[in-house]
Amino acid sequence: MTPTDGGPGEAPPVALRTEALEQLLTERGLVDPKVMNEIITTYETNVGPLNGAKVVARAWTDPEYRRRLLQDGTAAIKEFGFSGPQGEHIVVVENTATTHHVVVCTLCSCYPWPVLGLPPSWYKDPAYRARVVKEPRTVLSEMGLELDDDVRITVHDSTSEVRWLVLPERPAGTEHLSEEQLVPLVTREAMVGVAKVAAP
Amino acid sequence: MTAPLDIEGPAAPPRSNGELVFAEPWESRAFGMAVSLYEAGAFTWPEFQAALIARIAAWEAAAAPDEPYHYYRLWLAALEDTLAGRCAVSADEVTARTLALAQRPRTTTTATATTTSTTTPTDPGASSPCALGSVVK
């Protein structure tokens, strides 16, 4: 399909409208395209789940850090230098053999950007947002995570000022791995609580 | 939905499980605008968030069951709502500029797959205190 030329009764593509808004804002000195480019590059290339994976691997290998992380997530995460929009108040919850935490934003897409980057499409999707609250066990199972019936599931809704980060269980058989070796095992899905971390 | 964990860890943004952060270039511009305006103090984040929540709720109330969900379209609309509320840019001005841009001779613009039915903000305040005239040609 080709873009329309905005003929009568035809709405021009959203890309044009975005460009129009950017032009107006630039002309009025409200945005600086250079600053914008830096922000986009930062989120496209630098800020991603790797930040969170480093936090998790540290917590798995350093009991003192783990204690600080569960006590004051925001401060412990800042020790790595990770902070920014949507990272003002991050609470970390720990998954165990008997309790499982999963995160959602029922109203929009709140998500801890500094540690996980921008949310994946499934997290923003109306279906996940509506259903994981009502039937978490079913939704998790559909996403490939089967939890025993005796595991207690807590769903955390990020609609307040709080962003949540799940500290997944360290998989059995990784006792010999170092912090650096553990980092690549930790996935974004595990830190949202829709997956477990698997041993390599 | 979940990739096998042994293929690659999270160490490769922008792609995680093969998903790009932004599906199309304009999405990244809409995102960058909102964040840079917020960082410059043009509005507070909760303000923008409230507008986004309202746009998402309106879409979900009105959408047909199989209608595709375009998150960044709602994001852009929410950004416009926030800016109109702050009297920074009005919807009419954006529309006028969009139409002007559409008149440009096209050479190699990247085609967006669909055309948008951009809705004009339903102006929750009704009596907008903005003194900005709309640019209608």
Short mmCIF file of all heavy atoms in Angstrom, two decimals, chain B residues 9-63:
data_model
loop_
_atom_site.label_atom_id
_atom_site.label_comp_id
_atom_site.label_asym_id
_atom_site.label_seq_id
_atom_site.Cartn_x
_atom_site.Cartn_y
_atom_site.Cartn_z
N GLY B 9 20.93 -14.63 25.51
CA GLY B 9 20.45 -13.96 26.71
C GLY B 9 19.96 -12.59 26.36
O GLY B 9 19.70 -12.28 25.20
N PRO B 10 19.84 -11.75 27.34
CA PRO B 10 19.29 -10.42 27.10
C PRO B 10 20.35 -9.44 26.63
O PRO B 10 20.11 -8.26 26.54
CB PRO B 10 18.78 -10.02 28.48
CG PRO B 10 19.73 -10.70 29.41
CD PRO B 10 20.16 -11.98 28.74
N ALA B 11 21.51 -9.94 26.31
CA ALA B 11 22.66 -9.06 26.10
C ALA B 11 22.62 -8.30 24.79
O ALA B 11 23.55 -7.63 24.43
CB ALA B 11 23.95 -9.85 26.19
N ALA B 12 21.53 -8.44 24.06
CA ALA B 12 21.53 -7.79 22.76
C ALA B 12 20.35 -6.86 22.53
O ALA B 12 19.57 -7.09 21.64
CB ALA B 12 21.58 -8.85 21.67
N PRO B 13 20.21 -5.81 23.33
CA PRO B 13 19.28 -4.81 22.87
C PRO B 13 19.85 -4.22 21.59
O PRO B 13 21.05 -4.26 21.45
CB PRO B 13 19.26 -3.77 24.00
CG PRO B 13 20.50 -3.99 24.76
CD PRO B 13 20.93 -5.40 24.51
N PRO B 14 19.13 -3.69 20.62
CA PRO B 14 17.70 -3.43 20.70
C PRO B 14 16.80 -4.63 20.48
O PRO B 14 15.59 -4.51 20.63
CB PRO B 14 17.50 -2.43 19.56
CG PRO B 14 18.52 -2.80 18.56
CD PRO B 14 19.70 -3.26 19.37
N ARG B 15 17.33 -5.74 20.05
CA ARG B 15 16.47 -6.87 19.78
C ARG B 15 16.45 -7.79 20.99
O ARG B 15 17.48 -8.17 21.50
CB ARG B 15 16.99 -7.66 18.58
CG ARG B 15 16.83 -6.93 17.29
CD ARG B 15 17.58 -7.69 16.22
NE ARG B 15 17.44 -7.02 14.95
CZ ARG B 15 16.43 -7.24 14.12
NH1 ARG B 15 15.49 -8.08 14.45
NH2 ARG B 15 16.36 -6.59 12.98
N SER B 16 15.27 -8.14 21.43
CA SER B 16 15.14 -9.20 22.41
C SER B 16 14.12 -10.12 21.81
O SER B 16 13.07 -9.69 21.40
CB SER B 16 14.62 -8.66 23.72
OG SER B 16 15.32 -7.52 24.09
N ASN B 17 14.45 -11.37 21.75
CA ASN B 17 13.57 -12.33 21.10
C ASN B 17 13.22 -11.86 19.70
O ASN B 17 12.10 -12.02 19.23
CB ASN B 17 12.30 -12.56 21.91
CG ASN B 17 12.62 -13.08 23.29
OD1 ASN B 17 13.68 -13.67 23.48
ND2 ASN B 17 11.74 -12.86 24.23
N GLY B 18 14.17 -11.20 19.04
CA GLY B 18 13.98 -10.80 17.66
C GLY B 18 13.07 -9.60 17.48
O GLY B 18 12.74 -9.24 16.36
N GLU B 19 12.69 -8.97 18.58
CA GLU B 19 11.77 -7.85 18.42
C GLU B 19 12.51 -6.52 18.48
O GLU B 19 13.28 -6.26 19.40
CB GLU B 19 10.73 -7.89 19.55
CG GLU B 19 9.64 -6.87 19.38
CD GLU B 19 8.69 -6.88 20.56
OE1 GLU B 19 8.01 -7.89 20.77
OE2 GLU B 19 8.64 -5.87 21.27
N LEU B 20 12.27 -5.70 17.48
CA LEU B 20 12.86 -4.37 17.49
C LEU B 20 12.17 -3.51 18.53
O LEU B 20 10.97 -3.67 18.78
CB LEU B 20 12.70 -3.71 16.12
CG LEU B 20 13.65 -4.18 15.02
CD1 LEU B 20 13.17 -3.66 13.69
CD2 LEU B 20 15.05 -3.69 15.31
N VAL B 21 12.93 -2.59 19.09
CA VAL B 21 12.32 -1.66 20.05
C VAL B 21 11.22 -0.85 19.38
O VAL B 21 10.13 -0.69 19.92
CB VAL B 21 13.40 -0.73 20.64
CG1 VAL B 21 12.77 0.27 21.60
CG2 VAL B 21 14.47 -1.54 21.37
N PHE B 22 11.52 -0.36 18.18
CA PHE B 22 10.53 0.41 17.42
C PHE B 22 10.29 -0.28 16.08
O PHE B 22 11.23 -0.59 15.37
CB PHE B 22 11.01 1.84 17.19
CG PHE B 22 11.28 2.58 18.47
CD1 PHE B 22 12.57 2.88 18.85
CD2 PHE B 22 10.24 2.95 19.32
CE1 PHE B 22 12.83 3.56 20.04
CE2 PHE B 22 10.48 3.62 20.51
CZ PHE B 22 11.78 3.92 20.87
N ALA B 23 9.01 -0.48 15.75
CA ALA B 23 8.70 -1.17 14.50
C ALA B 23 8.94 -0.26 13.30
O ALA B 23 9.32 -0.72 12.23
CB ALA B 23 7.25 -1.64 14.53
N GLU B 24 8.69 1.04 13.47
CA GLU B 24 8.86 1.98 12.35
C GLU B 24 9.56 3.24 12.86
O GLU B 24 9.42 3.59 14.03
CB GLU B 24 7.50 2.36 11.77
CG GLU B 24 6.77 1.18 11.15
CD GLU B 24 5.40 1.57 10.65
OE1 GLU B 24 5.28 2.66 10.05
OE2 GLU B 24 4.45 0.81 10.85
N PRO B 25 10.26 3.93 11.96
CA PRO B 25 11.01 5.11 12.39
C PRO B 25 10.15 6.16 13.10
O PRO B 25 10.58 6.76 14.08
CB PRO B 25 11.58 5.67 11.07
CG PRO B 25 11.63 4.51 10.15
CD PRO B 25 10.49 3.61 10.55
N TRP B 26 8.92 6.38 12.61
CA TRP B 26 8.10 7.42 13.23
C TRP B 26 7.81 7.11 14.70
O TRP B 26 7.66 8.02 15.51
CB TRP B 26 6.81 7.66 12.45
CG TRP B 26 5.79 6.56 12.55
CD1 TRP B 26 5.60 5.53 11.67
CD2 TRP B 26 4.82 6.36 13.60
NE1 TRP B 26 4.59 4.71 12.11
CE2 TRP B 26 4.09 5.20 13.28
CE3 TRP B 26 4.49 7.07 14.76
CZ2 TRP B 26 3.05 4.72 14.09
CZ3 TRP B 26 3.47 6.58 15.56
CH2 TRP B 26 2.76 5.42 15.23
N GLU B 27 7.76 5.81 15.04
CA GLU B 27 7.50 5.45 16.43
C GLU B 27 8.62 5.95 17.33
O GLU B 27 8.38 6.44 18.43
CB GLU B 27 7.36 3.92 16.57
CG GLU B 27 6.16 3.34 15.85
CD GLU B 27 6.03 1.84 16.07
OE1 GLU B 27 6.93 1.23 16.69
OE2 GLU B 27 5.01 1.27 15.65
N SER B 28 9.84 5.81 16.82
CA SER B 28 10.97 6.27 17.63
C SER B 28 10.95 7.79 17.79
O SER B 28 11.32 8.32 18.82
CB SER B 28 12.30 5.80 17.03
OG SER B 28 12.59 6.49 15.83
N ARG B 29 10.47 8.49 16.75
CA ARG B 29 10.36 9.96 16.85
C ARG B 29 9.30 10.35 17.88
O ARG B 29 9.48 11.26 18.68
CB ARG B 29 10.02 10.61 15.51
CG ARG B 29 10.92 10.30 14.33
CD ARG B 29 12.39 10.44 14.60
NE ARG B 29 12.84 11.82 14.75
CZ ARG B 29 14.07 12.17 15.14
NH1 ARG B 29 14.96 11.24 15.43
NH2 ARG B 29 14.41 13.43 15.26
N ALA B 30 8.17 9.65 17.84
CA ALA B 30 7.09 9.94 18.79
C ALA B 30 7.57 9.68 20.21
O ALA B 30 7.29 10.46 21.13
CB ALA B 30 5.86 9.09 18.47
N PHE B 31 8.31 8.59 20.38
CA PHE B 31 8.86 8.27 21.69
C PHE B 31 9.87 9.34 22.13
O PHE B 31 9.78 9.88 23.24
CB PHE B 31 9.54 6.89 21.65
CG PHE B 31 10.34 6.58 22.88
CD1 PHE B 31 9.71 6.14 24.04
CD2 PHE B 31 11.72 6.74 22.90
CE1 PHE B 31 10.45 5.87 25.18
CE2 PHE B 31 12.46 6.48 24.05
CZ PHE B 31 11.82 6.04 25.19
N GLY B 32 10.80 9.66 21.24
CA GLY B 32 11.85 10.63 21.56
C GLY B 32 11.30 12.01 21.89
O GLY B 32 11.79 12.69 22.78
N MET B 33 10.25 12.40 21.17
CA MET B 33 9.61 13.70 21.45
C MET B 33 9.07 13.74 22.87
O MET B 33 9.32 14.69 23.61
CB MET B 33 8.45 13.94 20.47
CG MET B 33 8.84 14.74 19.26
SD MET B 33 7.37 15.21 18.31
CE MET B 33 7.21 13.82 17.22
N ALA B 34 8.33 12.70 23.24
CA ALA B 34 7.71 12.68 24.56
C ALA B 34 8.77 12.74 25.66
O ALA B 34 8.66 13.53 26.61
CB ALA B 34 6.84 11.44 24.73
N VAL B 35 9.82 11.92 25.52
CA VAL B 35 10.83 11.87 26.56
C VAL B 35 11.62 13.18 26.62
O VAL B 35 11.90 13.70 27.71
CB VAL B 35 11.77 10.66 26.38
CG1 VAL B 35 12.88 10.67 27.41
CG2 VAL B 35 10.97 9.36 26.49
N SER B 36 11.96 13.75 25.45
CA SER B 36 12.75 14.98 25.51
C SER B 36 11.92 16.16 26.02
O SER B 36 12.43 17.00 26.74
CB SER B 36 13.43 15.27 24.17
OG SER B 36 12.50 15.66 23.21
N LEU B 37 10.63 16.19 25.69
CA LEU B 37 9.76 17.24 26.23
C LEU B 37 9.63 17.11 27.74
O LEU B 37 9.67 18.09 28.48
CB LEU B 37 8.37 17.17 25.58
CG LEU B 37 8.29 17.69 24.14
CD1 LEU B 37 7.03 17.17 23.46
CD2 LEU B 37 8.30 19.22 24.11
N TYR B 38 9.49 15.87 28.19
CA TYR B 38 9.39 15.63 29.64
C TYR B 38 10.69 16.06 30.34
O TYR B 38 10.66 16.74 31.36
CB TYR B 38 9.08 14.15 29.90
CG TYR B 38 9.59 13.64 31.22
CD1 TYR B 38 8.97 14.02 32.43
CD2 TYR B 38 10.70 12.80 31.29
CE1 TYR B 38 9.44 13.56 33.64
CE2 TYR B 38 11.17 12.34 32.51
CZ TYR B 38 10.55 12.73 33.68
OH TYR B 38 11.03 12.27 34.88
N GLU B 39 11.82 15.69 29.74
CA GLU B 39 13.10 16.03 30.37
C GLU B 39 13.34 17.52 30.36
O GLU B 39 14.02 18.05 31.24
CB GLU B 39 14.25 15.26 29.68
CG GLU B 39 14.21 13.78 30.03
CD GLU B 39 15.40 12.98 29.51
OE1 GLU B 39 16.19 13.54 28.70
OE2 GLU B 39 15.54 11.80 29.90
N ALA B 40 12.75 18.22 29.38
CA ALA B 40 12.90 19.67 29.32
C ALA B 40 11.87 20.38 30.20
O ALA B 40 11.85 21.61 30.27
CB ALA B 40 12.77 20.15 27.88
N GLY B 41 11.01 19.61 30.84
CA GLY B 41 10.05 20.21 31.76
C GLY B 41 8.78 20.74 31.10
O GLY B 41 8.05 21.53 31.69
N ALA B 42 8.51 20.30 29.85
CA ALA B 42 7.31 20.78 29.16
C ALA B 42 6.03 20.23 29.82
O ALA B 42 4.98 20.85 29.76
CB ALA B 42 7.35 20.39 27.69
N PHE B 43 6.14 19.07 30.42
CA PHE B 43 5.03 18.49 31.18
C PHE B 43 5.61 17.46 32.15
O PHE B 43 6.77 17.08 32.03
CB PHE B 43 3.97 17.84 30.27
CG PHE B 43 4.53 16.93 29.20
CD1 PHE B 43 5.05 15.67 29.52
CD2 PHE B 43 4.54 17.33 27.86
CE1 PHE B 43 5.56 14.84 28.54
CE2 PHE B 43 5.06 16.49 26.87
CZ PHE B 43 5.57 15.24 27.21
N THR B 44 4.79 17.03 33.10
CA THR B 44 5.26 16.01 34.03
C THR B 44 4.95 14.64 33.44
O THR B 44 4.06 14.51 32.59
CB THR B 44 4.56 16.13 35.39
OG1 THR B 44 3.17 15.83 35.21
CG2 THR B 44 4.71 17.53 35.96
N TRP B 45 5.67 13.62 33.92
CA TRP B 45 5.42 12.28 33.37
C TRP B 45 4.02 11.78 33.73
O TRP B 45 3.32 11.26 32.85
CB TRP B 45 6.50 11.28 33.81
CG TRP B 45 6.46 10.09 32.92
CD1 TRP B 45 6.01 8.84 33.25
CD2 TRP B 45 6.81 10.04 31.53
NE1 TRP B 45 6.07 8.01 32.15
CE2 TRP B 45 6.56 8.73 31.09
CE3 TRP B 45 7.31 10.98 30.62
CZ2 TRP B 45 6.79 8.32 29.77
CZ3 TRP B 45 7.54 10.58 29.32
CH2 TRP B 45 7.28 9.27 28.90
N PRO B 46 3.55 11.97 34.98
CA PRO B 46 2.19 11.54 35.30
C PRO B 46 1.13 12.19 34.41
O PRO B 46 0.12 11.57 34.08
CB PRO B 46 2.01 11.97 36.76
CG PRO B 46 3.39 11.99 37.31
CD PRO B 46 4.28 12.44 36.18
N GLU B 47 1.39 13.42 34.00
CA GLU B 47 0.47 14.13 33.11
C GLU B 47 0.36 13.39 31.77
O GLU B 47 -0.73 13.13 31.25
CB GLU B 47 1.07 15.51 32.85
CG GLU B 47 0.11 16.66 32.82
CD GLU B 47 0.89 17.96 32.62
OE1 GLU B 47 1.87 18.21 33.35
OE2 GLU B 47 0.53 18.71 31.70
N PHE B 48 1.53 13.06 31.22
CA PHE B 48 1.54 12.34 29.95
C PHE B 48 0.93 10.95 30.12
O PHE B 48 0.16 10.48 29.28
CB PHE B 48 2.98 12.23 29.41
CG PHE B 48 3.07 11.35 28.19
CD1 PHE B 48 2.52 11.75 26.98
CD2 PHE B 48 3.69 10.10 28.25
CE1 PHE B 48 2.59 10.93 25.86
CE2 PHE B 48 3.76 9.28 27.13
CZ PHE B 48 3.21 9.70 25.93
N GLN B 49 1.28 10.32 31.23
CA GLN B 49 0.77 8.98 31.50
C GLN B 49 -0.75 8.97 31.58
O GLN B 49 -1.40 8.06 31.06
CB GLN B 49 1.35 8.51 32.81
CG GLN B 49 1.50 7.03 32.91
CD GLN B 49 2.30 6.69 34.15
OE1 GLN B 49 3.43 7.13 34.33
NE2 GLN B 49 1.71 5.92 35.03
N ALA B 50 -1.32 9.99 32.21
CA ALA B 50 -2.78 10.07 32.33
C ALA B 50 -3.41 10.19 30.94
O ALA B 50 -4.45 9.57 30.66
CB ALA B 50 -3.17 11.25 33.21
N ALA B 51 -2.78 10.97 30.08
CA ALA B 51 -3.30 11.13 28.72
C ALA B 51 -3.20 9.81 27.95
O ALA B 51 -4.11 9.44 27.20
CB ALA B 51 -2.51 12.22 27.99
N LEU B 52 -2.10 9.08 28.17
CA LEU B 52 -1.92 7.79 27.50
C LEU B 52 -2.96 6.78 27.99
O LEU B 52 -3.56 6.06 27.19
CB LEU B 52 -0.49 7.27 27.75
CG LEU B 52 -0.10 5.96 27.09
CD1 LEU B 52 -0.20 6.04 25.57
CD2 LEU B 52 1.33 5.55 27.48
N ILE B 53 -3.17 6.75 29.30
CA ILE B 53 -4.17 5.84 29.87
C ILE B 53 -5.54 6.14 29.29
O ILE B 53 -6.29 5.24 28.92
CB ILE B 53 -4.18 5.95 31.42
CG1 ILE B 53 -2.91 5.31 31.99
CG2 ILE B 53 -5.43 5.30 32.02
CD1 ILE B 53 -2.67 5.60 33.47
N ALA B 54 -5.87 7.43 29.17
CA ALA B 54 -7.18 7.82 28.63
C ALA B 54 -7.32 7.38 27.18
O ALA B 54 -8.37 6.87 26.76
CB ALA B 54 -7.36 9.34 28.74
N ARG B 55 -6.26 7.57 26.39
CA ARG B 55 -6.30 7.16 24.98
C ARG B 55 -6.44 5.65 24.84
O ARG B 55 -7.18 5.16 23.99
CB ARG B 55 -5.03 7.63 24.26
CG ARG B 55 -5.06 9.10 23.89
CD ARG B 55 -6.02 9.30 22.73
NE ARG B 55 -6.09 10.70 22.33
CZ ARG B 55 -6.75 11.12 21.24
NH1 ARG B 55 -7.37 10.25 20.47
NH2 ARG B 55 -6.78 12.39 20.93
N ILE B 56 -5.71 4.91 25.66
CA ILE B 56 -5.78 3.46 25.59
C ILE B 56 -7.17 2.97 26.00
O ILE B 56 -7.77 2.12 25.34
CB ILE B 56 -4.68 2.82 26.48
CG1 ILE B 56 -3.30 3.06 25.85
CG2 ILE B 56 -4.92 1.31 26.66
CD1 ILE B 56 -2.12 2.64 26.70
N ALA B 57 -7.71 3.56 27.06
CA ALA B 57 -9.03 3.16 27.53
C ALA B 57 -10.09 3.45 26.47
O ALA B 57 -10.98 2.63 26.21
CB ALA B 57 -9.38 3.90 28.83
N ALA B 58 -9.98 4.60 25.82
CA ALA B 58 -10.96 4.97 24.79
C ALA B 58 -10.88 3.99 23.62
O ALA B 58 -11.90 3.55 23.08
CB ALA B 58 -10.71 6.39 24.31
N TRP B 59 -9.64 3.64 23.25
CA TRP B 59 -9.48 2.70 22.13
C TRP B 59 -10.08 1.35 22.50
O TRP B 59 -10.80 0.74 21.71
CB TRP B 59 -8.00 2.54 21.77
CG TRP B 59 -7.80 1.64 20.59
CD1 TRP B 59 -7.78 2.01 19.27
CD2 TRP B 59 -7.67 0.20 20.60
NE1 TRP B 59 -7.62 0.89 18.47
CE2 TRP B 59 -7.56 -0.22 19.26
CE3 TRP B 59 -7.64 -0.75 21.62
CZ2 TRP B 59 -7.39 -1.56 18.90
CZ3 TRP B 59 -7.49 -2.09 21.27
CH2 TRP B 59 -7.37 -2.49 19.92
N GLU B 60 -9.78 0.89 23.72
CA GLU B 60 -10.25 -0.43 24.12
C GLU B 60 -11.77 -0.48 24.22
O GLU B 60 -12.38 -1.51 23.96
CB GLU B 60 -9.59 -0.85 25.44
CG GLU B 60 -8.12 -1.20 25.24
CD GLU B 60 -7.39 -1.61 26.51
OE1 GLU B 60 -7.92 -1.42 27.60
OE2 GLU B 60 -6.26 -2.12 26.38
N ALA B 61 -12.38 0.65 24.56
CA ALA B 61 -13.83 0.68 24.67
C ALA B 61 -14.49 0.65 23.30
O ALA B 61 -15.60 0.13 23.14
CB ALA B 61 -14.27 1.94 25.43
N ALA B 62 -13.80 1.19 22.30
CA ALA B 62 -14.42 1.36 20.99
C ALA B 62 -13.97 0.33 19.96
O ALA B 62 -14.61 0.18 18.92
CB ALA B 62 -14.13 2.77 20.48
N ALA B 63 -12.88 -0.37 20.22
CA ALA B 63 -12.29 -1.21 19.18
C ALA B 63 -13.11 -2.46 18.89
O ALA B 63 -13.71 -3.04 19.78
CB ALA B 63 -10.88 -1.62 19.60
#
